[in-house]
Amino acid sequence: MGKILELTVEDKLYTTKYETDSRSHIKVNGDLCRTCSSKPCLRFCSGDVYKINPSEPDQVTVNYENCLECGTCRHGCPFNAIDWQYPDGAMGVKYRYG
Amino acid sequence: MSYNCIVIVREVWDTRDLTGSVLADNGSIKDSMLTRFEPEDMNALEMALRIKDEHGGKVTAFSVGTPKQVDVLRECLYRGVDEVVRVDAGASSLGTQAAAQLLADAIGKAGQYDLICVGVTVADGESSMLGTHVAGKLGIEQVSYVDAIEEIGEGRVVGKRGIEMGYEYIEAPLPALLSVGVALVEDDPRTPRSAKAMLKLKAKKAEIPSADVDASAVTSPVSIAGREAVPERAVESKDVAAEDETALKSMLDDVLKGE
Amino acid sequence: MSAEDTVKVDAIVVGGGPGGLAAALTMAQGGLEVILVERGEYAGSKNVGGLFYGTILNQLIPDAFKQAPIERTVSKRSITYLGDGTHMSLTFGADAWSQPPYNNTYVVHRAQFDRWLASQVEEAGATLLEGMVVDGLIYEGEGAGRKAVGVQLRGDEAFYADVIVLADGANCLVSEKVREELAMPGGKIKQEYAVGVKEIISLPKETIEARFNLKDNEGVAYDFLGVPFEGLIGGGFIYTAKDSIHLGSVARIESLVESGFTPSGLNDRFKQHPAVSRLIDGGELLEYSGHMLPEGGYDAIGSLTANGVMIVGDAAGLLNMSLYKEGTNHAMESGMYAGQAAVAAKEKKDYSRSGLALYEEKLAEGIALKDVKKYKDLPDILTSAPELLSLYPKKINQLMVDYFTVNAEPKAVTQKAAMKNFMKDMSKIKLLRNAFKARKLM
């Protein structure tokens, strides 16, 4: 891992502990994403969950395993295209310090 | 024909994704360290519960010591065992031999049983041989690395073990102790068989009986005499572009030279 | 499900943060049968914090600060304006803050602290059900008489109770749903949210004590504004734990989206400011976390009581986002009042909205709501006068640079030039108006 000032968000997320579920607790409505040119989800997410789908640049991929469960996407998506539910019990992020 | 199964379960340090130092200044393990239900013991629990599902009988879980964070016995109740027994370890932490002695004493007093299941490799290195020692003290047969039950009946059990290029079947007379391996686990046993809030509530409220054994009678000549930290080796990380063959080669050379 | 398998208790609390735990504790102490449902593997596993005000805690559990897992007690606070390569701080400390009860201000690791608090609540007789998700409530009746009678758990199970306390935090899916289903009146404005990220950075105890000039268990709570947060409604903070540092940034979501920064990128900007980076130099990241904060303030708080339901803590919007950054204590206070209202409701056997009215009455008399009310214009001020968080700090830093720059000019010349430079690009009327607004920030 790099020096403390040079960590990427991936490096940071590597320190966060998760109990990863086999299915996603986040669904995005791809039809709405297609109409969205600004894609704020690429920026507002604290856990870097949303990324451009390399094979379909007007769509986003959902790396739900990274989700810190902050809920920003539920308020930040201008089209309400993100359906975010609580992960199943005891699944998802598990802070040791918090 | 129904069978009475016993499962031995343990709470162990959760050593996944560790960051930072594990020890606090005073040499004790930090508060931020989590514990978990030993997953290999959970496989053993699953094996016992399947025998009960198929043939009837009951499953009893035993655990040594007081819980730190995860009460594995309540978790067992939640996951469907019929009875649990806590084995008091006294004040000090026990070596494997002493823990096995207490367990054997407690199991000996718990009545008739057919099969004991326990996880085989345990994160707590020193207690991996716990099952073997318990079998020895109880004077029953023990089979290691049983990945599944092939058959049980007529005073015998046939276990299935995954080996290179195939399986082997091991037969043992009952009662026997099986150390349960992971080679044939299909489902993730972390997912509770019956994720029922009701069961969880009952498990929370259940009285956990203590085994009638005398921990003070069991001496444990093995103890941790001290700890010493090994200075961390500074590792210089290098970024090498995937396309840069020369750099990749020189990196490989460095690795091969042990630098 | 057979009748004997139906679970019916006096009260169910949804969420095991400080608000829910305070409610459960108060009700258990009042003799109610309580179940608290927490979706995380343990209470605290989804929670992020750092600075903890303990007035209510110490009231609910006498001398709690002596046994709770507190990292350090806060003996020194400061506000720092970060400029371009410059910084200006106002630091205050009091000797009394190093004595019990340490000004009731502590630095905690919430994952560990909340878990401890949960164990106290269990000891008081409440039952904690961890690792269980509440998907919604169950109702009886129609229209104005419609009341909540239980919680719907994921996996098609239901638990029933006379009263349900919703403490599902900032990301409150259950409260939002219930507000709609019970037609609970909302606040004057829509709730607004900020997103915060935090890094826990490990450093040797001695290094922390040397860098922050601390001894024993003393600690600091530093707040930061200025250049790294330019154009944002947000700021940064550093809190010292025993052998680690909490370093985080918070920004209003819409301002963040406009700025183009990611939350993590914003924290990097903050972290890389020379006045900050030296404080964490040589540290190692232990944990990265993210959380949301309800920042709409007083006007965003809607009705908090309905038939069989009370909403507390962040889910109620009871956060003071001024420099006090008080959320946990407010949550505990509201939880305590909700608990007291539930105990009173049981005596009267009236769990209707009017039967639970005591909750909002106590809240109105208490400190949390008054404090949130005091800062009710804050969201508005920060939106209408972004200069307060960006231009002015920058200007003031520049003024200090110009003022203290040592050169061959006479002081009078330097000072005059400094003042002239300071007033450049600044509307005097706006400055006056903003100064008036800024009064309300304190």
Side-chain angles (χ1 to χ4, degrees), chain B residues 19-21 25 30-32 34-35 69 78 195-202 204-205, chain C residues 1 5 7 33 35 42 112 115 122 127-130 132 153 155 157 159 205 243 284 286:
Chain B
T19 50
S21 161
D25 285 345
K30 276 190 175 173
D31 291 342
S32 59
L34 303 178
T35 67
Q69 297 168 359
Y78 166 48
K196 288 286 180 202
M198 183 72 71
L199 279 174
K200 194 153 210 169
L201 186 65
K202 283 184 180 157
K204 270 277 180 182
K205 297 196 156 186
Chain C
M1 192 184 281
D5 266 356
V7 174
E33 191 183 3
I35 293 177
Y42 46 88
Q112 294 157 27
R115 197 174 198 176
E122 270 206 309
T127 305
L128 245 69
L129 278 190
E130 289 146 315
M132 290 284 155
L153 294 153
E157 275 183 290
F159 283 175
K205 194 170 175 283
D243 48 11
E284 196 188 331
L286 291 179

mmCIF file of all heavy atoms in Angstrom, chain B residues 19-21 25 30-32 34-35 69 78 195-202 204-205, chain C residues 1 5 7 33 35 42 112 115 122 127-130 132 153 155 157 159 205 243 284 286:
data_model
loop_
_atom_site.group_PDB
_atom_site.id
_atom_site.type_symbol
_atom_site.label_atom_id
_atom_site.label_comp_id
_atom_site.label_asym_id
_atom_site.label_seq_id
_atom_site.Cartn_x
_atom_site.Cartn_y
_atom_site.Cartn_z
ATOM 1 N N THR B 19 -5.825 -5.047 9.181
ATOM 2 C CA THR B 19 -5.000 -3.882 8.886
ATOM 3 C C THR B 19 -4.409 -3.399 10.199
ATOM 4 O O THR B 19 -5.017 -3.537 11.247
ATOM 5 C CB THR B 19 -5.824 -2.716 8.290
ATOM 6 O OG1 THR B 19 -6.957 -2.497 9.107
ATOM 7 C CG2 THR B 19 -6.261 -2.996 6.877
ATOM 8 N N GLY B 20 -3.228 -2.846 10.101
ATOM 9 C CA GLY B 20 -2.593 -2.289 11.289
ATOM 10 C C GLY B 20 -2.139 -3.375 12.246
ATOM 11 O O GLY B 20 -2.208 -4.567 11.953
ATOM 12 N N SER B 21 -1.668 -2.935 13.392
ATOM 13 C CA SER B 21 -1.150 -3.879 14.373
ATOM 14 C C SER B 21 -2.304 -4.545 15.120
ATOM 15 O O SER B 21 -3.336 -3.939 15.365
ATOM 16 C CB SER B 21 -0.257 -3.128 15.358
ATOM 17 O OG SER B 21 -0.109 -3.895 16.526
ATOM 18 N N ASP B 25 -0.652 -1.721 23.092
ATOM 19 C CA ASP B 25 0.611 -1.437 23.765
ATOM 20 C C ASP B 25 0.937 -2.424 24.879
ATOM 21 O O ASP B 25 2.086 -2.804 25.081
ATOM 22 C CB ASP B 25 0.562 -0.021 24.379
ATOM 23 C CG ASP B 25 0.709 1.043 23.309
ATOM 24 O OD1 ASP B 25 1.125 0.671 22.189
ATOM 25 O OD2 ASP B 25 0.400 2.214 23.593
ATOM 26 N N LYS B 30 -6.004 -6.146 20.403
ATOM 27 C CA LYS B 30 -6.762 -4.893 20.359
ATOM 28 C C LYS B 30 -8.274 -5.110 20.356
ATOM 29 O O LYS B 30 -8.762 -6.099 19.819
ATOM 30 C CB LYS B 30 -6.396 -4.131 19.090
ATOM 31 C CG LYS B 30 -5.168 -3.309 19.204
ATOM 32 C CD LYS B 30 -5.056 -2.419 17.990
ATOM 33 C CE LYS B 30 -3.865 -1.476 18.130
ATOM 34 N NZ LYS B 30 -3.649 -0.726 16.904
ATOM 35 N N ASP B 31 -8.982 -4.100 20.885
ATOM 36 C CA ASP B 31 -10.444 -4.154 20.913
ATOM 37 C C ASP B 31 -11.052 -4.200 19.523
ATOM 38 O O ASP B 31 -12.162 -4.673 19.334
ATOM 39 C CB ASP B 31 -10.999 -2.913 21.618
ATOM 40 C CG ASP B 31 -10.681 -2.925 23.096
ATOM 41 O OD1 ASP B 31 -10.347 -4.016 23.597
ATOM 42 O OD2 ASP B 31 -10.745 -1.866 23.720
ATOM 43 N N SER B 32 -10.328 -3.658 18.550
ATOM 44 C CA SER B 32 -10.901 -3.606 17.205
ATOM 45 C C SER B 32 -10.868 -4.969 16.526
ATOM 46 O O SER B 32 -11.463 -5.140 15.473
ATOM 47 C CB SER B 32 -10.143 -2.598 16.356
ATOM 48 O OG SER B 32 -8.781 -2.957 16.290
ATOM 49 N N LEU B 34 -12.079 -8.463 15.723
ATOM 50 C CA LEU B 34 -13.377 -9.123 15.833
ATOM 51 C C LEU B 34 -13.173 -10.625 15.987
ATOM 52 O O LEU B 34 -12.117 -11.159 15.674
ATOM 53 C CB LEU B 34 -14.205 -8.855 14.577
ATOM 54 C CG LEU B 34 -14.458 -7.400 14.215
ATOM 55 C CD1 LEU B 34 -15.239 -7.306 12.921
ATOM 56 C CD2 LEU B 34 -15.220 -6.707 15.331
ATOM 57 N N THR B 35 -14.187 -11.265 16.480
ATOM 58 C CA THR B 35 -14.158 -12.726 16.519
ATOM 59 C C THR B 35 -15.275 -13.242 15.624
ATOM 60 O O THR B 35 -16.146 -12.489 15.206
ATOM 61 C CB THR B 35 -14.384 -13.275 17.935
ATOM 62 O OG1 THR B 35 -15.732 -12.971 18.318
ATOM 63 C CG2 THR B 35 -13.425 -12.682 18.931
ATOM 64 N N GLN B 69 -17.156 -12.071 21.872
ATOM 65 C CA GLN B 69 -18.092 -11.221 21.123
ATOM 66 C C GLN B 69 -19.240 -12.037 20.551
ATOM 67 O O GLN B 69 -20.378 -11.595 20.527
ATOM 68 C CB GLN B 69 -17.361 -10.516 19.968
ATOM 69 C CG GLN B 69 -16.275 -9.576 20.422
ATOM 70 C CD GLN B 69 -15.410 -9.130 19.267
ATOM 71 O OE1 GLN B 69 -15.599 -9.535 18.141
ATOM 72 N NE2 GLN B 69 -14.440 -8.290 19.553
ATOM 73 N N TYR B 78 -29.829 -20.882 17.355
ATOM 74 C CA TYR B 78 -30.468 -20.148 16.276
ATOM 75 C C TYR B 78 -30.435 -20.962 14.985
ATOM 76 O O TYR B 78 -31.370 -20.961 14.200
ATOM 77 C CB TYR B 78 -29.735 -18.823 16.136
ATOM 78 C CG TYR B 78 -29.991 -18.040 14.896
ATOM 79 C CD1 TYR B 78 -31.273 -17.814 14.450
ATOM 80 C CD2 TYR B 78 -28.923 -17.489 14.192
ATOM 81 C CE1 TYR B 78 -31.498 -17.061 13.306
ATOM 82 C CE2 TYR B 78 -29.135 -16.745 13.067
ATOM 83 C CZ TYR B 78 -30.423 -16.540 12.616
ATOM 84 O OH TYR B 78 -30.635 -15.798 11.498
ATOM 85 N N ALA B 195 -33.026 -18.716 8.651
ATOM 86 C CA ALA B 195 -32.762 -17.353 9.102
ATOM 87 C C ALA B 195 -34.032 -16.769 9.710
ATOM 88 O O ALA B 195 -34.672 -15.909 9.152
ATOM 89 C CB ALA B 195 -32.277 -16.497 7.951
ATOM 90 N N LYS B 196 -34.406 -17.280 10.855
ATOM 91 C CA LYS B 196 -35.671 -16.871 11.448
ATOM 92 C C LYS B 196 -35.426 -15.982 12.663
ATOM 93 O O LYS B 196 -34.682 -16.337 13.570
ATOM 94 C CB LYS B 196 -36.462 -18.113 11.887
ATOM 95 C CG LYS B 196 -37.027 -18.891 10.708
ATOM 96 C CD LYS B 196 -38.200 -18.161 10.120
ATOM 97 C CE LYS B 196 -38.795 -18.917 8.934
ATOM 98 N NZ LYS B 196 -39.559 -18.041 8.049
ATOM 99 N N ALA B 197 -36.073 -14.860 12.642
ATOM 100 C CA ALA B 197 -35.960 -13.940 13.769
ATOM 101 C C ALA B 197 -36.499 -14.605 15.036
ATOM 102 O O ALA B 197 -35.976 -14.408 16.132
ATOM 103 C CB ALA B 197 -36.725 -12.659 13.476
ATOM 104 N N MET B 198 -37.556 -15.406 14.833
ATOM 105 C CA MET B 198 -38.156 -16.096 15.975
ATOM 106 C C MET B 198 -37.128 -16.975 16.686
ATOM 107 O O MET B 198 -37.011 -16.962 17.904
ATOM 108 C CB MET B 198 -39.317 -16.950 15.451
ATOM 109 C CG MET B 198 -40.068 -17.667 16.504
ATOM 110 S SD MET B 198 -41.044 -16.513 17.440
ATOM 111 C CE MET B 198 -42.269 -16.142 16.207
ATOM 112 N N LEU B 199 -36.384 -17.753 15.863
ATOM 113 C CA LEU B 199 -35.367 -18.628 16.450
ATOM 114 C C LEU B 199 -34.291 -17.793 17.128
ATOM 115 O O LEU B 199 -33.771 -18.161 18.178
ATOM 116 C CB LEU B 199 -34.733 -19.483 15.363
ATOM 117 C CG LEU B 199 -35.527 -20.716 14.950
ATOM 118 C CD1 LEU B 199 -34.854 -21.390 13.754
ATOM 119 C CD2 LEU B 199 -35.610 -21.692 16.120
ATOM 120 N N LYS B 200 -33.968 -16.686 16.499
ATOM 121 C CA LYS B 200 -32.926 -15.832 17.059
ATOM 122 C C LYS B 200 -33.383 -15.287 18.413
ATOM 123 O O LYS B 200 -32.614 -15.238 19.368
ATOM 124 C CB LYS B 200 -32.638 -14.682 16.092
ATOM 125 C CG LYS B 200 -31.362 -13.961 16.420
ATOM 126 C CD LYS B 200 -30.756 -13.330 15.201
ATOM 127 C CE LYS B 200 -29.243 -13.268 15.353
ATOM 128 N NZ LYS B 200 -28.541 -12.918 14.161
ATOM 129 N N LEU B 201 -34.649 -14.918 18.473
ATOM 130 C CA LEU B 201 -35.209 -14.400 19.719
ATOM 131 C C LEU B 201 -35.174 -15.482 20.799
ATOM 132 O O LEU B 201 -34.761 -15.243 21.940
ATOM 133 C CB LEU B 201 -36.643 -13.925 19.481
ATOM 134 C CG LEU B 201 -37.334 -13.225 20.638
ATOM 135 C CD1 LEU B 201 -36.630 -11.913 20.948
ATOM 136 C CD2 LEU B 201 -38.801 -12.963 20.318
ATOM 137 N N LYS B 202 -35.584 -16.670 20.409
ATOM 138 C CA LYS B 202 -35.563 -17.773 21.381
ATOM 139 C C LYS B 202 -34.134 -18.060 21.836
ATOM 140 O O LYS B 202 -33.885 -18.313 23.009
ATOM 141 C CB LYS B 202 -36.183 -19.031 20.759
ATOM 142 C CG LYS B 202 -37.698 -18.971 20.722
ATOM 143 C CD LYS B 202 -38.289 -20.258 20.199
ATOM 144 C CE LYS B 202 -39.814 -20.144 20.172
ATOM 145 N NZ LYS B 202 -40.415 -21.079 19.215
ATOM 146 N N LYS B 204 -31.700 -16.006 21.921
ATOM 147 C CA LYS B 204 -31.261 -14.917 22.781
ATOM 148 C C LYS B 204 -31.725 -15.123 24.210
ATOM 149 O O LYS B 204 -31.043 -14.782 25.164
ATOM 150 C CB LYS B 204 -31.836 -13.593 22.261
ATOM 151 C CG LYS B 204 -30.941 -12.906 21.280
ATOM 152 C CD LYS B 204 -29.883 -12.112 22.001
ATOM 153 C CE LYS B 204 -28.982 -11.432 20.971
ATOM 154 N NZ LYS B 204 -27.907 -10.686 21.603
ATOM 155 N N LYS B 205 -32.956 -15.643 24.339
ATOM 156 C CA LYS B 205 -33.559 -15.725 25.665
ATOM 157 C C LYS B 205 -33.285 -17.050 26.358
ATOM 158 O O LYS B 205 -33.609 -17.207 27.535
ATOM 159 C CB LYS B 205 -35.069 -15.499 25.547
ATOM 160 C CG LYS B 205 -35.392 -14.103 25.030
ATOM 161 C CD LYS B 205 -36.815 -13.730 25.275
ATOM 162 C CE LYS B 205 -36.953 -12.209 25.310
ATOM 163 N NZ LYS B 205 -38.261 -11.751 25.680
ATOM 164 N N MET C 1 -48.687 -19.051 11.019
ATOM 165 C CA MET C 1 -47.993 -19.016 12.318
ATOM 166 C C MET C 1 -49.013 -19.228 13.445
ATOM 167 O O MET C 1 -50.050 -18.589 13.458
ATOM 168 C CB MET C 1 -47.301 -17.656 12.462
ATOM 169 C CG MET C 1 -46.330 -17.617 13.606
ATOM 170 S SD MET C 1 -45.637 -15.961 13.786
ATOM 171 C CE MET C 1 -44.407 -15.992 12.477
ATOM 172 N N ASP C 5 -46.691 -18.810 18.701
ATOM 173 C CA ASP C 5 -45.456 -18.382 18.060
ATOM 174 C C ASP C 5 -45.453 -16.894 17.730
ATOM 175 O O ASP C 5 -44.484 -16.380 17.217
ATOM 176 C CB ASP C 5 -45.231 -19.185 16.773
ATOM 177 C CG ASP C 5 -44.336 -20.382 17.066
ATOM 178 O OD1 ASP C 5 -43.872 -20.480 18.214
ATOM 179 O OD2 ASP C 5 -44.137 -21.212 16.170
ATOM 180 N N VAL C 7 -44.921 -13.200 18.340
ATOM 181 C CA VAL C 7 -44.144 -12.416 19.294
ATOM 182 C C VAL C 7 -44.803 -11.051 19.455
ATOM 183 O O VAL C 7 -44.954 -10.308 18.501
ATOM 184 C CB VAL C 7 -42.689 -12.245 18.820
ATOM 185 C CG1 VAL C 7 -41.930 -11.318 19.750
ATOM 186 C CG2 VAL C 7 -41.999 -13.596 18.747
ATOM 187 N N GLU C 33 -41.094 -4.484 28.146
ATOM 188 C CA GLU C 33 -40.429 -5.569 27.421
ATOM 189 C C GLU C 33 -40.067 -5.030 26.041
ATOM 190 O O GLU C 33 -40.929 -4.621 25.264
ATOM 191 C CB GLU C 33 -41.351 -6.781 27.306
ATOM 192 C CG GLU C 33 -40.594 -7.989 26.794
ATOM 193 C CD GLU C 33 -41.484 -9.218 26.596
ATOM 194 O OE1 GLU C 33 -42.707 -9.119 26.811
ATOM 195 O OE2 GLU C 33 -40.932 -10.248 26.215
ATOM 196 N N ILE C 35 -37.700 -5.203 22.386
ATOM 197 C CA ILE C 35 -36.822 -5.860 21.404
ATOM 198 C C ILE C 35 -36.217 -4.769 20.547
ATOM 199 O O ILE C 35 -36.918 -3.888 20.061
ATOM 200 C CB ILE C 35 -37.598 -6.839 20.508
ATOM 201 C CG1 ILE C 35 -38.099 -8.030 21.328
ATOM 202 C CG2 ILE C 35 -36.729 -7.323 19.352
ATOM 203 C CD1 ILE C 35 -38.945 -8.999 20.533
ATOM 204 N N TYR C 42 -23.435 -6.559 14.399
ATOM 205 C CA TYR C 42 -23.461 -6.121 15.792
ATOM 206 C C TYR C 42 -23.797 -4.635 15.795
ATOM 207 O O TYR C 42 -23.562 -3.945 14.793
ATOM 208 C CB TYR C 42 -22.127 -6.381 16.502
ATOM 209 C CG TYR C 42 -20.913 -5.962 15.729
ATOM 210 C CD1 TYR C 42 -20.411 -4.673 15.838
ATOM 211 C CD2 TYR C 42 -20.268 -6.853 14.871
ATOM 212 C CE1 TYR C 42 -19.308 -4.282 15.121
ATOM 213 C CE2 TYR C 42 -19.157 -6.461 14.141
ATOM 214 C CZ TYR C 42 -18.673 -5.183 14.271
ATOM 215 O OH TYR C 42 -17.577 -4.784 13.547
ATOM 216 N N GLN C 112 -16.947 0.313 18.166
ATOM 217 C CA GLN C 112 -16.676 -0.306 19.469
ATOM 218 C C GLN C 112 -17.556 0.297 20.567
ATOM 219 O O GLN C 112 -18.032 -0.420 21.445
ATOM 220 C CB GLN C 112 -15.189 -0.144 19.812
ATOM 221 C CG GLN C 112 -14.307 -0.920 18.862
ATOM 222 C CD GLN C 112 -12.885 -0.394 18.795
ATOM 223 O OE1 GLN C 112 -12.378 0.196 19.733
ATOM 224 N NE2 GLN C 112 -12.233 -0.611 17.663
ATOM 225 N N ARG C 115 -21.237 -0.843 20.343
ATOM 226 C CA ARG C 115 -21.340 -2.240 20.758
ATOM 227 C C ARG C 115 -21.330 -2.341 22.287
ATOM 228 O O ARG C 115 -22.058 -3.134 22.867
ATOM 229 C CB ARG C 115 -20.171 -3.018 20.160
ATOM 230 C CG ARG C 115 -20.394 -4.491 20.178
ATOM 231 C CD ARG C 115 -19.282 -5.213 19.463
ATOM 232 N NE ARG C 115 -19.744 -6.553 19.137
ATOM 233 C CZ ARG C 115 -19.035 -7.413 18.452
ATOM 234 N NH1 ARG C 115 -17.865 -7.110 18.008
ATOM 235 N NH2 ARG C 115 -19.520 -8.615 18.221
ATOM 236 N N GLU C 122 -28.576 -4.412 26.871
ATOM 237 C CA GLU C 122 -28.985 -5.809 27.080
ATOM 238 C C GLU C 122 -28.997 -6.143 28.565
ATOM 239 O O GLU C 122 -29.880 -6.843 29.037
ATOM 240 C CB GLU C 122 -28.038 -6.755 26.339
ATOM 241 C CG GLU C 122 -28.506 -7.041 24.933
ATOM 242 C CD GLU C 122 -28.016 -8.367 24.407
ATOM 243 O OE1 GLU C 122 -26.804 -8.606 24.490
ATOM 244 O OE2 GLU C 122 -28.849 -9.157 23.923
ATOM 245 N N THR C 127 -33.906 -6.940 24.706
ATOM 246 C CA THR C 127 -33.368 -8.022 23.879
ATOM 247 C C THR C 127 -32.891 -7.444 22.552
ATOM 248 O O THR C 127 -33.649 -6.784 21.851
ATOM 249 C CB THR C 127 -34.451 -9.074 23.602
ATOM 250 O OG1 THR C 127 -34.976 -9.503 24.860
ATOM 251 C CG2 THR C 127 -33.878 -10.264 22.867
ATOM 252 N N LEU C 128 -31.626 -7.702 22.246
ATOM 253 C CA LEU C 128 -31.065 -7.220 20.990
ATOM 254 C C LEU C 128 -31.137 -8.310 19.937
ATOM 255 O O LEU C 128 -30.628 -9.406 20.144
ATOM 256 C CB LEU C 128 -29.583 -6.883 21.215
ATOM 257 C CG LEU C 128 -29.158 -5.449 21.069
ATOM 258 C CD1 LEU C 128 -29.739 -4.631 22.196
ATOM 259 C CD2 LEU C 128 -27.657 -5.360 21.092
ATOM 260 N N LEU C 129 -31.742 -8.000 18.809
ATOM 261 C CA LEU C 129 -31.733 -8.940 17.700
ATOM 262 C C LEU C 129 -30.878 -8.354 16.607
ATOM 263 O O LEU C 129 -31.292 -7.464 15.869
ATOM 264 C CB LEU C 129 -33.147 -9.153 17.156
ATOM 265 C CG LEU C 129 -34.031 -10.135 17.893
ATOM 266 C CD1 LEU C 129 -35.278 -10.404 17.086
ATOM 267 C CD2 LEU C 129 -33.299 -11.431 18.195
ATOM 268 N N GLU C 130 -29.644 -8.843 16.496
ATOM 269 C CA GLU C 130 -28.732 -8.287 15.506
ATOM 270 C C GLU C 130 -28.792 -9.116 14.226
ATOM 271 O O GLU C 130 -29.205 -10.278 14.241
ATOM 272 C CB GLU C 130 -27.307 -8.278 16.079
ATOM 273 C CG GLU C 130 -27.160 -7.234 17.169
ATOM 274 C CD GLU C 130 -26.204 -7.646 18.278
ATOM 275 O OE1 GLU C 130 -26.293 -8.799 18.745
ATOM 276 O OE2 GLU C 130 -25.384 -6.808 18.677
ATOM 277 N N MET C 132 -30.701 -8.576 11.673
ATOM 278 C CA MET C 132 -32.078 -8.712 11.186
ATOM 279 C C MET C 132 -32.517 -7.392 10.556
ATOM 280 O O MET C 132 -32.319 -6.331 11.138
ATOM 281 C CB MET C 132 -33.025 -9.024 12.345
ATOM 282 C CG MET C 132 -32.840 -10.415 12.910
ATOM 283 S SD MET C 132 -33.594 -11.589 11.794
ATOM 284 C CE MET C 132 -32.652 -13.045 12.183
ATOM 285 N N LEU C 153 -40.222 -8.136 9.250
ATOM 286 C CA LEU C 153 -38.804 -8.474 9.123
ATOM 287 C C LEU C 153 -38.569 -9.158 7.790
ATOM 288 O O LEU C 153 -39.447 -9.860 7.278
ATOM 289 C CB LEU C 153 -38.394 -9.419 10.258
ATOM 290 C CG LEU C 153 -38.454 -8.807 11.650
ATOM 291 C CD1 LEU C 153 -38.680 -9.879 12.694
ATOM 292 C CD2 LEU C 153 -37.163 -8.062 11.938
ATOM 293 N N GLY C 155 -37.605 -11.837 5.272
ATOM 294 C CA GLY C 155 -37.715 -13.276 5.440
ATOM 295 C C GLY C 155 -39.118 -13.645 5.906
ATOM 296 O O GLY C 155 -39.333 -14.710 6.477
ATOM 297 N N GLU C 157 -41.310 -12.580 8.294
ATOM 298 C CA GLU C 157 -41.691 -12.767 9.690
ATOM 299 C C GLU C 157 -42.145 -11.427 10.239
ATOM 300 O O GLU C 157 -41.715 -10.386 9.747
ATOM 301 C CB GLU C 157 -40.492 -13.228 10.525
ATOM 302 C CG GLU C 157 -40.263 -14.707 10.487
ATOM 303 C CD GLU C 157 -39.101 -15.068 11.386
ATOM 304 O OE1 GLU C 157 -37.959 -14.727 11.032
ATOM 305 O OE2 GLU C 157 -39.328 -15.653 12.442
ATOM 306 N N PHE C 159 -42.957 -9.218 13.998
ATOM 307 C CA PHE C 159 -43.000 -9.087 15.452
ATOM 308 C C PHE C 159 -43.966 -7.949 15.765
ATOM 309 O O PHE C 159 -43.981 -6.946 15.058
ATOM 310 C CB PHE C 159 -41.620 -8.723 16.025
ATOM 311 C CG PHE C 159 -40.658 -9.868 16.104
ATOM 312 C CD1 PHE C 159 -39.349 -9.656 16.512
ATOM 313 C CD2 PHE C 159 -41.042 -11.169 15.778
ATOM 314 C CE1 PHE C 159 -38.442 -10.709 16.594
ATOM 315 C CE2 PHE C 159 -40.149 -12.229 15.861
ATOM 316 C CZ PHE C 159 -38.842 -11.993 16.261
ATOM 317 N N LYS C 205 1.126 6.303 19.680
ATOM 318 C CA LYS C 205 0.568 7.158 20.726
ATOM 319 C C LYS C 205 1.471 8.367 21.002
ATOM 320 O O LYS C 205 1.005 9.498 21.085
ATOM 321 C CB LYS C 205 0.466 6.281 21.981
ATOM 322 C CG LYS C 205 -0.363 6.794 23.103
ATOM 323 C CD LYS C 205 -0.529 5.666 24.143
ATOM 324 C CE LYS C 205 -1.267 6.169 25.358
ATOM 325 N NZ LYS C 205 -0.428 6.985 26.249
ATOM 326 N N ASP C 243 -4.314 5.681 19.546
ATOM 327 C CA ASP C 243 -3.166 5.527 18.660
ATOM 328 C C ASP C 243 -3.600 5.577 17.202
ATOM 329 O O ASP C 243 -3.115 4.819 16.369
ATOM 330 C CB ASP C 243 -2.372 4.250 18.980
ATOM 331 C CG ASP C 243 -3.279 3.055 19.107
ATOM 332 O OD1 ASP C 243 -4.467 3.187 18.744
ATOM 333 O OD2 ASP C 243 -2.825 1.989 19.544
ATOM 334 N N GLU C 284 -0.600 5.102 8.842
ATOM 335 C CA GLU C 284 -1.047 4.004 7.989
ATOM 336 C C GLU C 284 -2.560 3.918 8.092
ATOM 337 O O GLU C 284 -3.120 4.028 9.191
ATOM 338 C CB GLU C 284 -0.418 2.697 8.486
ATOM 339 C CG GLU C 284 -0.501 1.586 7.495
ATOM 340 C CD GLU C 284 -0.046 0.261 8.120
ATOM 341 O OE1 GLU C 284 0.796 0.300 9.052
ATOM 342 O OE2 GLU C 284 -0.551 -0.777 7.687
ATOM 343 N N LEU C 286 -6.076 2.573 8.590
ATOM 344 C CA LEU C 286 -6.664 1.397 9.241
ATOM 345 C C LEU C 286 -8.056 1.100 8.712
ATOM 346 O O LEU C 286 -8.468 -0.059 8.641
ATOM 347 C CB LEU C 286 -6.782 1.624 10.756
ATOM 348 C CG LEU C 286 -5.509 1.692 11.563
ATOM 349 C CD1 LEU C 286 -5.835 1.947 13.023
ATOM 350 C CD2 LEU C 286 -4.728 0.397 11.430
#
